[in-house]
Amino acid sequence: MKEQVTLAKALNLGLRSAMEADPKVLVMGEDVATLGGVFRITDGLKKDFGEHRVFDTPLAESGIIGTAVGLAMRGYRPVAEIQFDGFVFPGFDQIVSQVAKLGFRTQGAFRASMVIRIPFGGGIGAVEHHSESPESFFCHIAGLRVVACSNAQDAYDMLQEAIASDDPVVFFEPKRRYWEKSALDVTRTPTESTFSSVVRRSGNDVTVVGYGPTMAVVEAAATAAQAEGRSLEVIDLRSLSPLDLDPVLDSVRRTGRLVVVSEAPREASLSGDIAARVTEEAFYSLAAPVIRVAGADVPYPPTRMESLYLPDLDKVLDAVDRVLSF
Amino acid sequence: MAPSDPTGAAGIGAGGTPAAPPPHRVVAGLKATTDHTVQLLSPEGELTPTALSGEYPLEVTEDLLRGLYRDMVLVRRFDREGNALQRQGQLGIWVPLLGQEAAQIGSGRALQPQDMAFPSYREHGVAWTRGIDPTDLIGVFRGADHSTWNPAETRFHTYTIVIGNQVLNATGYAMGQRLDGRVGSGTDGGAPDEATITYFGDGATSEGDVHEGMVFAAAFDAPVVFFCQNNQWAISHPVDQVSRVPLYRRADGYGFPGVRVDGNDVLACLAVTRWALDECRSGNGPVMIEAFTYRMDAHTTSDDPTRYRTSDESEAWKLLDPIERVRVHLVRHSTDSAATAEFFAGVQAEADELAARFRTFCLEMPTPPPDRMFSEVYATPHHQLDRQRAEFLDYLAGFADDGGAATHGGAR
């Protein structure tokens, strides 16, 4: 029963499904109730599930995260929305100090079973602090799971898995792709965890890894490369922490070449960690250094310059050329 | 001095009232004690008129006083032992509560079993009232554990080291109590109504989390008591340099009651906190309480208070000692002086036994096995971490003495 829906709609449906399945699931955040969120991801949930399960909070990110921890300790499963990527930092202290460590500190007596939804990435022409890719900060924190969806089916499935998880999940949503339609089958039950890497497209020459917003660029690059007679294997990480690296390693062992594509700045990043681990674990399979296509190590630029900053088709194809010509 | 004078008392000078002392003569906190502070037992050990007819009624019996006295003496005794153990190199650090026994025992004894408490890191006395054995506090300070007690069963959360974080967690928990219908329901036959209390110091009131906790509590009518132990100093920074108003008056800005209580008066702390928790359980929360007290010792054993405060100051506060005033009251007013003397001796013996047990437990405390480091980081399997743990244990097992675990995990 597949239909074409936007990624935003799939998230809404995923939330609905989770809320129907478990009365302990709460939706909270700035403007999520009456307005339905600034991106309308939570549209209609208050009407259908009531103001006690879907509620607007005061404008305070530490407050949202910190009270969600207390609600989780009480047995609820809060799904907290952070309005934009660059606004998560006032809540960062609570995420690092409390959310990530609650289970370890209490030896499992309490769990911060909660989801923090963050629309992330650039390309929408927004003002400062609205286009960032802060995922590496969260991947560095033990105790969190960090995931990023890239299409409607994953958005629907992964959000439900995140809500059902007893561990806290930082859930990154590629806001640039909110309005893109792709196939969704709500009757389908995933047979394995959606928090694992998945091969989107098979190929033999170069492995290209992406996640979230960069998947569109990576898949377009694979199509363009094919026209030039180059076969790219495309992998969507989906889970950023823990990294499901085995499919990447398997692929690199065949292709010998790896390109990692991420919008985040390159310094001390997730893309750097992937490159390091592939080097550590598949060194003798590599025919070329791992090449990263990433954001520049600058603050996210003003919108008229963001096309210069973001990984695009040409940058990915150029990286493919480089690993092939090494 | 006017902008930072917490009570405005510095301006009083007319009508025969002595003029306020110049700033360098002011002893921290004391200048504010006369203003709007609930007190039931005076420093001289006499019940105040407020105790008999005030807003916070309390049936003061000899049994009650003896119980509170015993609590405070025992807690002070193991606190002093903790300090000594740190000085002898057995603990990495100790956070002394000396001087704050009344604030902690009074408020802690006001809690009912179903209530939840979110401490900061100095609340050894509150832990005592929740039935947590003092030996359970040692792991944190010896570096063996983050929390040896079970916070879900004792309904006393783990210590929170980051200043103010717990205030938001407590507010969220209280929001959950309300969502669960455990507020204002009456107690006929069903589970009793609940409240949450959270502890923080005067320093924490500068933190955004405390402010946000109060905003959220007000917005969601959360049944939470914000119990601020104003011990006058945030390490070296005095409270009158961070607030232009007495801390309890900050509650006005959030639209819920704020009460200042004599934090060295265990009866007042008990009565006011009991009232505040009842307000929360009945649906009239939140409430803020400022317990006006004093930290008689250092901030922690790493601190040197002689660098920032005078001995005059602590000498002045000694006259307000929370334990002494209860002892004096019992001596003066007990119905059987022989029994009272026996009681004091008994409590002292009990305190010494507790201290000895505390010390022995500390010295004999085992270091957790190495794989404890990897346990409970995640609730569900985490393949990456599982692999790392296996590799680490394999590495330890490779040592020839077959004691790799002990060698590497047991070093101290």
Side-chain angles (χ1 to χ4, degrees), chain A residues 62-63 74 76 94 111 167, chain B residues 180 194 209 212 376 379-380:
Chain A
S62 193
R74 186 70 192 177
Y76 288 93
Q94 280 285 344
R111 293 283 174 194
D167 289 313
Chain B
D180 285 346
E194 300 180 25
D209 275 11
E212 291 182 31
E376 303 291 351
T380 42

Side-chain angles (χ1 to χ4, degrees), chain B residues 91-349:
Chain B
L91 299 178
I93 196 169
W94 182 253
V95 186
L97 66 66
L98 189 67
Q100 297 180 222
E101 295 87 351
Q104 296 193 16
I105 296 298
S107 62
R109 283 287 174 227
L111 290 163
Q112 293 180 4
Q114 73 274 16
D115 297 329
M116 182 72 188
F118 286 76
S120 175
Y121 45 68
R122 199 187 297 281
E123 276 67 65
H124 320 319
V126 185
W128 171 262
T129 67
R130 298 306 275 166
I132 292 167
D133 194 274
T135 54
D136 268 339
L137 302 172
I138 296 178
V140 175
F141 300 105
R142 195 166 162 88
D145 217 315
H146 292 320
S147 157
T148 318
W149 64 92
N150 183 319
E153 287 172 4
T154 57
R155 306 186 68 71
F156 180 77
H157 194 37
T158 56
Y159 278 176
T160 307
I161 309 294
V162 178
I163 302 295
N165 271 182
Q166 76 281 9
V167 175
L168 274 170
N169 304 155
T171 300
Y173 191 89
M175 287 162 63
Q177 289 173 318
R178 177 171 280 281
L179 277 176
D180 285 346
R182 297 265 42 90
V183 172
S185 69
T187 56
D188 290 347
D193 285 333
E194 300 180 25
T196 295
I197 189 166
T198 182
Y199 292 86
F200 54 96
D202 46 294
T205 62
S206 303
E207 286 278 5
D209 275 11
V210 174
H211 167 68
E212 291 182 31
M214 293 191 183
V215 169
F216 273 64
F220 295 104
D221 297 325
V224 55
V225 175
F226 297 101
F227 195 93
C228 174
Q229 290 174 86
N230 175 4
N231 68 16
Q232 314 300 330
W233 292 92
I235 303 189
S236 67
H237 205 64
V239 65
D240 63 4
Q241 287 182 20
V242 296
S243 182
R244 291 187 175 200
V245 298
L247 296 178
Y248 76 95
R249 274 176 45 195
R250 295 225 177 143
D252 288 350
Y254 303 105
F256 49 77
V259 182
R260 175 187 271 170
V261 59
D262 179 346
N264 285 17
D265 172 358
V266 71
L267 295 180
C269 290
L270 173 64
V272 171
T273 311
R274 189 176 281 174
W275 165 81
L277 289 165
D278 280 343
E279 283 289 284
C280 287
R281 291 191 207 98
S282 64
N284 290 333
V287 176
M288 179 186 178
I289 298 171
E290 176 194 1
F292 200 84
T293 182
Y294 190 75
R295 157 164 66 75
M296 293 299 295
D297 204 336
H299 165 67
T300 71
T301 45
S302 302
D303 175 32
D304 175 11
T306 64
R307 293 173 75 109
Y308 55 83
R309 63 188 194 188
T310 65
S311 56
D312 283 359
E313 184 175 308
S314 46
E315 288 302 315
W317 274 95
K318 270 186 192 168
L319 302 175
L320 305 175
D321 186 76
I323 298 180
E324 188 60 14
R325 69 177 74 179
V326 180
R327 195 188 68 79
V328 168
H329 181 88
L330 284 170
V331 168
R332 283 188 188 152
H333 301 286
S334 66
T335 49
D336 181 344
S337 59
T340 300
E342 192 182 332
F343 165 74
F344 288 140
V347 170
Q348 190 55 50

